[in-house]
Amino acid sequence: MAHLRSRRRPALTLPLGLALTASLGFLPGAASAAPADSLAIKASSATADARALAYVVNTRTDHRTLASVKKAIAKAGGTVVASYDRIGVIVVHASNPDFGRQIRAVKGVQSAGATRTSPLVAAGTTDEGAAQVLAKAQAKSLAAQATSGSEPLEADQWDLRAIGADKAAKINPGSRDVTVGVIDTGVDDTHPDLAPNFSASQSANCVGGKADTSPGAWRPYDPAEDYHGTHVAGEIAAARNGIGVAGVAPGVKVAGIKVSDPNDGLFYPENVVCAFVFAADHGVEVTNNSYYVDPWLYNCMDDPDQKAIVDAVDRAQLYAQKKGTLNLASAGNSNDDLDSDALVDDSSPDDATPVHRTIDPHKCFDIPTQLPGVVTVSASGPTGAKSYYSSYGKGVIDIAAPGGDKFQFPDTPSKNGRILSTMPGGQYGFLQGTSMASPHAAGVAALLKSAHPKATPAQLQALLKAEADNPGCPSDPYDGDGDGVVDATCEGGKRVNGFYGFGIVDALDAVKK
């Protein structure tokens, strides 16, 4: 699985991601949710012990339990890196190989486990295929074909027209009181299409599990490789300013919360915990999550480490929901049926040598997309058909949105079925993947929040489903790549089915109804 710094299993050049199950009652001791208070009790050294692993320790949230557990952590040889007391999640570094077993036996600890399988070193996204950066000459040629009243490159944005976002912008482009947080590889806020709508006060670098809000900390480590978050941000909120492209909600604000590790590009659990809590505590109304939490594509609840990862991330995202944040996530690019009895995972752990395992997606979860209340988004192409790579599943997919498909050809100047959006350094490029579908849905959610400012996350999710247009299951056998082989089977009816959930989002209906 070749992946750049940004990943989410096949999608970009990356990995994929999996879907959400609307109501999972599996989460152990899902904390009463509350934010990160006592952060960073003691930061880890840049010259950390090469044998050290990172852990999440999940506890009850009362002061006495937290204090006693922290003493036990120290006794077991652990160092507290950050403590999110109000959700009972403690991020720890420890080189004691028996740390996990010892700390799980401590009174008040509800789950605990390593967040990676390889030692710390000094110090995933969901797009499919390599990025196609627009050359200056090509951009100039496309801009020359722009129609009056549109952005210079908008003629190639078939995705906006597919969901009525071009027409919606004339009615309600979105409110400046609404911010979408892009939890990803970082966002280049200096891009001319993003700068007008970027919210620095709601942005941070959460790598390591502790938020760094110093100026520019949210930007990509390496713009040449970490372009994923900038592309996603443009799909959501690129300004209509006569420069390049437009976003689905060009009037809302966008923030960048960086979670990709600078060494391997992976999205470790402690980083994502930090991101959800930071978003919630800084008034972010919607988050987009085009990745899966590393190192496990699926986290199985019978494994103590993987169970602890699910518990920690779920506590954080539930806290965000309770603070008023709607979380959306990409469904993944493996073309997997997430409602099947068994799936093969031969990519995990992705921070070491992967092992071949067969898992039950009802018991082993891709996170954050399969967590309760998170909106799971599948991808569609220019014709409206399910994208060939998009994972699916009856009762798992909530909604669908344009994610691009190289086998479907739009009536645009470039005839490129991928998604055109912003890239670092003032550039533009095409990508495809459920990584691209989720931000389109997040943009529509932002429009809905703009029109219904008092709507709760649950109400917003209901509105998203209500305005969606469902094409229904295809009448012919599904052959996404045209090779004559049936690639997937759609189950369900016209109202709800495994390919589209409740349907493909409709930005125009979102601002009209």
Side-chain angles (χ1 to χ4, degrees), residues 335-347:
N335 190 36
D336 277 343
D337 182 353
L338 300 170
D339 189 40
S340 63
D341 293 331
L343 292 172
V344 172
D345 174 19
D346 56 11
S347 65

